[in-house]
């Protein structure tokens, strides 16, 4: 397809509109809706992998649009009543199909590339950690749009009806929804007995990805390979339907998409932990003495090192030999519902943790002491407020000799509740002999680190306040 043919196709087809609709819808969703893609370390403009995954997640809505717009493009010859005329011309049908499909493919891929470019420009301004591991995620995303549009064109040519585009778009949307709601999910129970769901192999046939919850998580190479096989089969079927002229040829044209699905399922991993994996390079630790962060957050080490070392000094003065000796960003990625694992010798923290994220300057020292004393036993993916937060406030007050609200609890309601619950326990604890204070603190830490028992009850002498 030369430039002249491309220019003509752009003028007489819906391809430019398809690209404009995809780009406008994606930009509107990202910039007008205040979602998780704007918050924390996983913001879509914070890191390369997060940017690629968030833009891929938009395919939940964009892919059905591409399929429907492709079907509308496939109806062009039928609407103009030129089918018989075009079939009588000496130009091979595959040439006309290539011009039609190629134009739409170029505009959709360009629209998605422009969206990624907008994110990339902002990522460059927010991080010094660069890599190319995000590129396959975006390339497969663009291929999803192209393959979906070509499949829609073929279906529109094979089923020339005004109802075909909306029916295909709705069918594609239902498919993606089912992949993320029922067919693509497997119900499980964690070792701790908490119910959870995990993506299964079939879910990887969907264009969208799981919600981005950890900056260190990426898609594995086997996922990229399996999805590429599936998409090539989809595109081949769409192109074959564009050139097919009889019922038998159209039935045969379904072979590539079916074969692609079968081969893809053989390649795609069945274990969720092999679908979404830890980026080992990004998780590599960068340290300043005993304070370490993941490589992807190395620009934040300078602000963390001082408060981290000060927190270790204060903890050693309060706990002696039982005090932790290092501060490290938690790079372990656990499945939803799993119970976190803690160490008494290492202060593990997460930049997205409410206490850490709200702390600045000297308050970061208090936040790290809080994580060292009561790291928290909320299952991964869950949230809650309760006794662990009261125990954390009292423990930090005991170490520093001053009971004050922790970062993240500045609202009047939370501050009042914390004050009512913790003030009596703190006064009682500090009135005890030093040996008894240490005994209660050690009992509290044992409960908090093992996630067995109630840390606040242990701190208050076994009687819940």
């Amino acid at each position: 397809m030369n430039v002249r043919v491309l220019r003509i196709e752009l003028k007489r087809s819906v391809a430019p509109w398809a690209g404009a609709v995809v780009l406008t819808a994606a930009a509107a969703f990202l910039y007008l809706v205040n979602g998780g893609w704007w918050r924390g370390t996983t913001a879509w403009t914070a890191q390369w992998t997060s940017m690629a995954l968030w833009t891929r997640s938009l395919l939940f809505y964009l892919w059905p649009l591409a399929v429907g717009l492709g079907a509308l493009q496939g109806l062009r010859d039928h609407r103009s009543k030129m089918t018989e005329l075009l079939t009588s011309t000496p130009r091979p049908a595959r040439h006309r199909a290539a011009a039609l499909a190629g134009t739409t493919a170029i505009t959709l891929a360009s629209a998605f590339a422009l969206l990624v470019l907008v994110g990339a420009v902002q990522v460059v301004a927010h991080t010094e950690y660069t890599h190319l591991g995000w590129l396959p995620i975006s390339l497969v995303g663009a291929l999803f749009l192209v393959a979906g549009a070509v499949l829609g064109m073929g279906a529109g040519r094979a089923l020339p009806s005004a109802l075909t585009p909306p029916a295909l778009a709705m069918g594609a949307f239902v498919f993606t929804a089912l992949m993320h709601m029922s067919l693509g999910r497997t119900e499980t129970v964690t070792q701790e007995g908490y119910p959870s769901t995990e993506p299964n192999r079939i879910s990887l046939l969907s264009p969208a990805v799981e919600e981005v919850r950890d900056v260190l998580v990426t898609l594995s190479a086997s996922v990229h390979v399996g999805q590429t096989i599936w998409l090539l089969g989809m595109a081949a079927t769409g192109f074959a339907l564009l050139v097919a002229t009889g019922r038998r040829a159209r039935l045969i044209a379904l072979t590539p998409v079916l074969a692609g699905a079968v081969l893809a399922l053989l390649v795609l991993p069945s274990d969720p932990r092999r679908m979404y994996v830890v980026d080992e390079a990004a998780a590599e630790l960068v340290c300043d003495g005993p304070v370490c962060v993941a490589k992807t957050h190395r620009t934040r080490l300078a602000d963390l090192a001082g408060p981290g070392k000060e927190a270790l000094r204060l903890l050693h003065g309060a706990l002696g030999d039982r005090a932790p000796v290092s501060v490290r960003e938690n790079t372990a990625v656990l499945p939803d519902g799993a119970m976190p694992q803690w160490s008494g010798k290492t202060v593990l923290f997460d930049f997205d943790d409410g206490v850490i994220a709200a702390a600045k300057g000297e308050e970061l020292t208090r936040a790290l002491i809080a994580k060292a004393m009561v790291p928290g036993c909320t299952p991964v993916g869950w949230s809650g407020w309760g006794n662990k937060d009261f125990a954390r406030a009292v423990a930090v007050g005991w170490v520093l000799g001053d009971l004050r609200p922790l970062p993240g609890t500045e609202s009047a309601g939370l501050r009042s509740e914390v004050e009512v619950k913790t003030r009596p326990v703190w006064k009682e604890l500090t009135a005890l002999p030093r040996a008894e204070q240490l005994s209660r603190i050690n009992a509290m830490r044992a409960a908090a680190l093992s996630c067995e028992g109630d840390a606040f009850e242990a701190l208050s002498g076994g009687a819940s306040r």
Side-chain angles (χ1 to χ4, degrees), residues 240-256:
L241 287 173
L242 274 175
V243 300
T245 56
R247 180 176 299 178
R248 182 180 178 185
R250 288 167 182 159
L251 289 175
I252 295 174
L254 299 177
T255 303

Side-chain angles (χ1 to χ4, degrees), residues 164-200:
T164 299
L168 282 178
M170 182 56 66
F173 180 76
V174 170
F175 171 78
T176 57
L178 289 177
M179 289 299 100
H180 289 267
M181 291 171 54
S182 56
L183 293 180
R185 309 290 300 184
T186 301
E187 293 186 2
T188 61
V189 178
T190 64
Q191 294 181 351
E192 295 80 14
Y194 293 101
S196 181
T197 62
E198 294 180 333
N200 58 34

Side-chain angles (χ1 to χ4, degrees), residues 7-79:
R7 187 168 58 249
I8 293 173
E9 285 293 335
L10 287 174
K11 290 180 179 179
R12 64 194 292 262
S13 71
V14 300
W17 292 103
V21 167
V22 166
L23 180 60
T24 303
F29 197 89
L30 285 172
Y31 284 96
L32 299 181
V33 179
N34 184 18
W37 46 89
W38 282 114
R39 293 193 288 269
T41 61
T42 58
W44 84 290
T45 58
Q47 297 289 344
W48 290 102
T49 301
S50 299
M51 181 271 294
L53 289 173
W54 277 123
T55 50
R56 268 288 296 274
S57 69
L58 294 178
L59 296 187
F60 188 96
Y61 308 100
L62 300 182
W63 188 68
L65 276 177
V67 174
L69 290 168
L72 184 63
Q73 178 81 308
L75 291 177
R76 186 182 65 182
D77 293 346
H78 176 75
R79 292 196 310 270

Side-chain angles (χ1 to χ4, degrees), residues 289-370:
V291 182
C292 302
V293 299
K295 191 175 182 179
T296 189
H297 291 142
R298 60 189 177 191
T299 55
R300 306 181 71 166
L301 180 59
D303 294 332
L304 183 74
K309 294 173 183 177
E310 177 65 10
L312 292 176
R313 185 188 69 79
L314 293 169
L315 287 167
H316 185 268
L319 300 174
D321 294 338
R322 291 177 176 267
V325 295
S326 63
V327 175
R328 179 167 63 84
E329 182 179 357
N330 192 0
T331 57
V333 178
L334 301 176
D336 282 357
M339 193 66 73
Q341 305 293 321
W342 305 115
S343 168
K345 290 299 181 181
T346 302
V347 182
L348 295 174
F349 71 94
D350 189 324
F351 282 113
D352 284 330
D353 182 273
V355 176
I356 299 295
K360 304 294 180 184
E362 294 182 359
E363 286 295 293
L364 189 52
T365 298
R366 294 177 60 86
L368 290 171
I369 293 174

Side-chain angles (χ1 to χ4, degrees), residues 23 26-27 30-31 38 44-46 48 51 55 110-126 134:
L23 180 60
L30 285 172
Y31 284 96
W38 282 114
W44 84 290
T45 58
W48 290 102
M51 181 271 294
T55 50
S110 299
F112 191 74
L114 186 56
L115 177 68
V116 172
L117 180 61
V118 171
V121 170
Q122 297 177 83
V123 170
V124 169
H126 289 122
W134 62 274

